[in-house]
Amino acid sequence: MHVIEWDHTYELGIQPIDEHHRKLIELLNNSYDLLLYSADKAGMKTILQELTDYTDYHFGAEEHLMNEVSYKGLMPHIDKHNDFKNQIADLMQDYLSRSPNVNTDIILFLSAWLKKHILKDDRKFTVYLSKSKYLRY
Protein backbone atom coordinates (compact mmCIF):
# COMPACT_ATOMS: atom_id res chain seq x y z
CA MET A 1 0.00 0.00 0.00
CA HIS A 2 1.24 3.51 -0.77
CA VAL A 3 0.88 6.67 1.26
CA ILE A 4 1.65 8.75 -1.83
CA GLU A 5 1.19 7.41 -5.33
CA TRP A 6 3.59 9.10 -7.75
CA ASP A 7 1.85 10.72 -10.69
CA HIS A 8 2.45 13.57 -13.11
CA THR A 9 1.22 16.21 -10.62
CA TYR A 10 4.47 15.73 -8.67
CA GLU A 11 6.66 16.24 -11.75
CA LEU A 12 8.43 19.57 -11.82
CA GLY A 13 10.15 19.06 -15.16
CA ILE A 14 13.62 19.14 -13.61
CA GLN A 15 14.78 15.59 -14.21
CA PRO A 16 17.24 15.12 -11.32
CA ILE A 17 14.88 16.76 -8.82
CA ASP A 18 11.96 14.66 -10.05
CA GLU A 19 14.09 11.54 -9.58
CA HIS A 20 14.95 12.62 -6.04
CA HIS A 21 11.29 13.21 -5.25
CA ARG A 22 10.40 9.76 -6.59
CA LYS A 23 13.03 8.23 -4.32
CA LEU A 24 11.79 10.16 -1.28
CA ILE A 25 8.23 9.00 -1.95
CA GLU A 26 9.47 5.43 -2.38
CA LEU A 27 11.25 5.63 0.98
CA LEU A 28 8.11 7.05 2.60
CA ASN A 29 6.04 4.20 1.16
CA ASN A 30 8.60 1.64 2.35
CA SER A 31 8.40 3.14 5.85
CA TYR A 32 4.64 2.83 5.75
CA ASP A 33 4.85 -0.81 4.63
CA LEU A 34 7.20 -1.59 7.50
CA LEU A 35 4.85 0.11 9.93
CA LEU A 36 1.87 -1.88 8.66
CA TYR A 37 3.34 -5.28 7.98
CA SER A 38 6.41 -5.76 10.14
CA ALA A 39 7.42 -5.68 13.77
CA ASP A 40 11.02 -5.16 12.66
CA LYS A 41 12.10 -2.13 14.70
CA ALA A 42 15.65 -2.30 13.35
CA GLY A 43 14.28 -2.23 9.80
CA MET A 44 12.19 0.84 10.58
CA LYS A 45 15.20 2.59 12.11
CA THR A 46 17.28 1.74 9.02
CA ILE A 47 14.69 3.05 6.57
CA LEU A 48 14.22 6.22 8.62
CA GLN A 49 17.96 6.79 8.61
CA GLU A 50 18.07 6.19 4.85
CA LEU A 51 15.23 8.66 4.43
CA THR A 52 17.07 11.24 6.54
CA ASP A 53 20.32 10.72 4.65
CA TYR A 54 18.66 10.87 1.24
CA THR A 55 16.75 13.98 2.23
CA ASP A 56 20.03 15.68 3.16
CA TYR A 57 21.46 14.71 -0.24
CA HIS A 58 18.35 15.94 -2.07
CA PHE A 59 18.20 19.23 -0.17
CA GLY A 60 21.85 19.87 -0.94
CA ALA A 61 21.32 19.25 -4.66
CA GLU A 62 18.18 21.37 -4.75
CA GLU A 63 19.81 24.26 -2.89
CA HIS A 64 22.87 24.07 -5.14
CA LEU A 65 20.68 24.32 -8.24
CA MET A 66 18.72 27.21 -6.76
CA ASN A 67 21.94 29.03 -5.92
CA GLU A 68 23.34 28.35 -9.38
CA VAL A 69 20.41 30.14 -11.03
CA SER A 70 20.22 32.94 -8.45
CA TYR A 71 16.77 31.92 -7.20
CA LYS A 72 15.40 34.79 -5.10
CA GLY A 73 13.50 32.40 -2.83
CA LEU A 74 16.59 30.39 -1.88
CA MET A 75 16.91 31.53 1.75
CA PRO A 76 13.25 30.91 2.69
CA HIS A 77 13.51 27.55 0.92
CA ILE A 78 16.60 26.66 2.94
CA ASP A 79 14.70 27.65 6.10
CA LYS A 80 11.94 25.17 5.17
CA HIS A 81 14.53 22.47 4.60
CA ASN A 82 16.10 23.22 7.99
CA ASP A 83 12.69 23.12 9.70
CA PHE A 84 12.11 19.72 8.12
CA LYS A 85 15.49 18.43 9.33
CA ASN A 86 14.75 19.61 12.86
CA GLN A 87 11.30 18.02 12.88
CA ILE A 88 12.55 14.71 11.49
CA ALA A 89 15.38 14.69 14.06
CA ASP A 90 12.80 15.17 16.84
CA LEU A 91 10.65 12.37 15.41
CA MET A 92 13.66 10.08 15.15
CA GLN A 93 14.48 10.83 18.79
CA ASP A 94 10.87 10.00 19.73
CA TYR A 95 11.15 6.78 17.74
CA LEU A 96 14.36 5.80 19.52
CA SER A 97 12.76 6.50 22.91
CA ARG A 98 9.77 4.36 21.87
CA SER A 99 7.17 7.10 22.24
CA PRO A 100 3.65 5.84 21.62
CA ASN A 101 2.19 6.57 18.18
CA VAL A 102 5.51 7.89 16.87
CA ASN A 103 5.40 5.59 13.81
CA THR A 104 2.07 7.06 12.79
CA ASP A 105 3.31 10.58 13.53
CA ILE A 106 6.33 10.01 11.30
CA ILE A 107 4.26 8.75 8.36
CA LEU A 108 1.68 11.53 8.68
CA PHE A 109 4.34 14.22 8.97
CA LEU A 110 6.39 12.94 6.03
CA SER A 111 3.37 12.49 3.80
CA ALA A 112 1.95 15.94 4.46
CA TRP A 113 5.32 17.65 4.27
CA LEU A 114 6.42 16.01 1.01
CA LYS A 115 3.14 16.75 -0.73
CA LYS A 116 3.13 20.39 0.35
CA HIS A 117 6.81 20.93 -0.32
CA ILE A 118 6.80 19.43 -3.81
CA LEU A 119 3.46 20.84 -4.95
CA LYS A 120 3.83 24.31 -3.43
CA ASP A 121 7.37 25.25 -2.44
CA ASP A 122 9.31 23.44 -5.18
CA ARG A 123 6.70 24.42 -7.77
CA LYS A 124 7.53 28.09 -7.09
CA PHE A 125 11.08 27.33 -8.19
CA THR A 126 9.94 25.78 -11.47
CA VAL A 127 7.81 28.85 -12.16
CA TYR A 128 10.93 30.96 -11.59
CA LEU A 129 12.92 28.76 -13.98
CA SER A 130 10.25 28.91 -16.65
CA LYS A 131 10.36 32.72 -16.57
CA SER A 132 14.13 32.94 -16.58
CA LYS A 133 16.96 32.22 -18.93
CA TYR A 134 17.65 28.88 -17.20
CA LEU A 135 15.34 26.72 -19.25
CA ARG A 136 17.92 23.97 -19.75
CA TYR A 137 16.72 22.28 -16.54
Side-chain angles (χ1 to χ4, degrees), residues 4 27 34 39 67 95 106 108 111 123 127:
I4 299 177
L27 290 169
L34 270 176
N67 187 53
Y95 176 79
I106 290 169
L108 291 173
S111 175
R123 181 84 52 208
V127 169

Side-chain angles (χ1 to χ4, degrees), residues 6-23:
W6 180 269
D7 65 36
H8 73 279
T9 59
Y10 294 103
E11 291 177 4
L12 300 176
I14 305 168
Q15 194 249 343
I17 301 300
D18 286 341
E19 287 176 11
H20 293 181
H21 288 160
R22 279 182 179 269
K23 177 69 173 177

Side-chain angles (χ1 to χ4, degrees), residues 47-63:
I47 196 114
L48 288 173
Q49 189 59 56
E50 184 180 1
L51 183 61
T52 301
D53 293 344
Y54 195 82
T55 300
D56 286 342
Y57 164 73
H58 165 67
F59 286 169
E62 198 174 80
E63 291 166 11

Side-chain angles (χ1 to χ4, degrees), residues 96-114:
L96 293 173
S97 66
R98 307 254 190 252
S99 293
N101 302 320
V102 70
N103 289 354
T104 304
D105 293 344
I106 290 169
I107 300 302
L108 291 173
F109 167 72
L110 290 172
S111 175
W113 195 91
L114 277 172

Side-chain angles (χ1 to χ4, degrees), residues 11 28 67-68 74 87:
E11 291 177 4
L28 168 64
N67 187 53
E68 188 178 293
L74 175 60
Q87 287 180 296

Side-chain angles (χ1 to χ4, degrees), residues 73-84:
L74 175 60
M75 292 314 295
H77 205 91
I78 289 173
D79 290 342
K80 289 177 184 186
H81 286 172
N82 289 336
D83 288 344
F84 174 87

